Amino acid sequence: MSWEQIYQTRVKSKIKFVPQDFYEKFKKFLESKKWEGIFKKDRYEKYYYHKLTPDGLLFVEAQWEMYKNYWKEEPKIDWKMEITILINAYNINTLVGDLDISIKSYHNVEEFKEPDTSKAKGVESFLLSIGYKNIMKKLVSNLEKVRGKNKLIEMSGRDLYNSSEEIKNWILDYFK
């Protein structure tokens, strides 16, 4: 798969917050927007590391990854978002710490794949003998003309950008 990056931003703040509350509300927000976690499940954390010092300072690094299908037909378009959450020197007594969240969004446009004809048997070999492969190529070509493949890719990029901005704004609103 070839993912094209559409969006990248960073949100930084030194603020009072409760990490667990943020995680839970953020996850609910993503689910309400139909984002799916890793392996199409409700688990978004790809990587998580934390360290608590004897002074009561917490350091957290978490990598979240989520997916969403934008267009199910040819050309199939999927979205992917990677969110890195860094919490530095979070004081568990005062609930204040440095927060650094980075968001990267990508889309993948999957082109029409020609069927594997090397192992064709029965109905498949019959369809190939009457030119099924050429018919499918022509059909896909006509669909791309009617649908405007480039327009669809442009729409995906615009909608993914807007969705990424919506997530960034939710994060900013949460920490107000």
Side-chain angles (χ1 to χ4, degrees):
M1 284 189 185
S2 175
W3 293 96
E4 178 188 357
Q5 186 170 338
I6 302 297
Y7 182 87
Q8 180 173 350
T9 192
R10 227 164 156 180
V11 178
K12 290 182 171 189
S13 182
K14 183 175 181 94
I15 196 157
K16 185 175 184 173
F17 69 104
V18 177
Q20 189 62 34
D21 181 63
F22 169 71
Y23 275 30
E24 290 170 6
K25 289 180 179 168
F26 189 44
K27 183 180 173 193
K28 283 182 184 174
F29 171 74
L30 294 172
E31 289 170 347
S32 75
K33 297 298 179 183
K34 308 290 188 232
W35 284 94
E36 294 178 326
I38 301 167
F39 308 117
K40 304 230 180 239
K41 304 232 181 208
D42 63 350
R43 192 184 105 214
Y44 295 95
E45 282 186 355
K46 181 179 174 182
Y47 168 81
Y48 177 85
Y49 170 81
H50 77 273
K51 180 180 180 178
L52 183 61
T53 68
D55 300 332
L57 295 180
L58 177 67
F59 294 84
V60 175
E61 180 178 346
Q63 175 84 38
W64 286 31
E65 191 169 284
M66 59 219 65
Y67 298 89
K68 191 177 200 180
N69 180 258
Y70 179 75
W71 193 259
K72 293 182 182 187
E73 301 169 19
E74 297 291 338
K76 185 179 173 203
I77 301 176
D78 290 317
W79 289 355
K80 175 172 95 170
M81 188 174 296
E82 295 173 348
I83 298 176
T84 303
I85 302 167
L86 298 173
I87 300 171
N88 291 310
Y90 177 81
N91 188 320
I92 59 173
N93 298 317
T94 63
L95 305 180
V96 175
D98 292 331
L99 182 70
D100 183 353
I101 298 177
S102 124
I103 302 171
K104 294 180 183 176
S105 302
Y106 308 85
H107 75 178
N108 177 44
V109 180
E110 193 175 300
E111 300 292 332
F112 172 73
K113 294 178 187 166
E114 290 188 27
D116 181 16
T117 59
S118 63
K119 298 175 185 168
K121 295 178 184 173
V123 175
E124 292 173 346
S125 65
F126 171 74
L127 289 172
L128 290 171
S129 71
I130 61 168
Y132 169 75
K133 201 173 181 182
N134 294 332
I135 292 169
M136 285 305 293
K137 278 185 185 175
K138 190 168 211 141
L139 178 63
V140 167
S141 173
N142 288 341
L143 282 172
E144 286 176 353
K145 287 177 190 169
V146 170
R147 256 193 228 138
K149 178 181 151 191
N150 291 335
K151 185 76 171 161
L152 186 60
I153 293 170
E154 185 182 307
M155 281 175 32
S156 169
R158 183 195 67 226
D159 291 348
L160 179 55
Y161 183 91
N162 290 338
S163 183
S164 301
E165 277 288 305
E166 182 179 22
I167 290 170
K168 178 186 93 175
N169 289 334
W170 184 91
I171 293 168
L172 291 171
D173 287 345
Y174 177 86
F175 290 110
K176 279 186 178 173

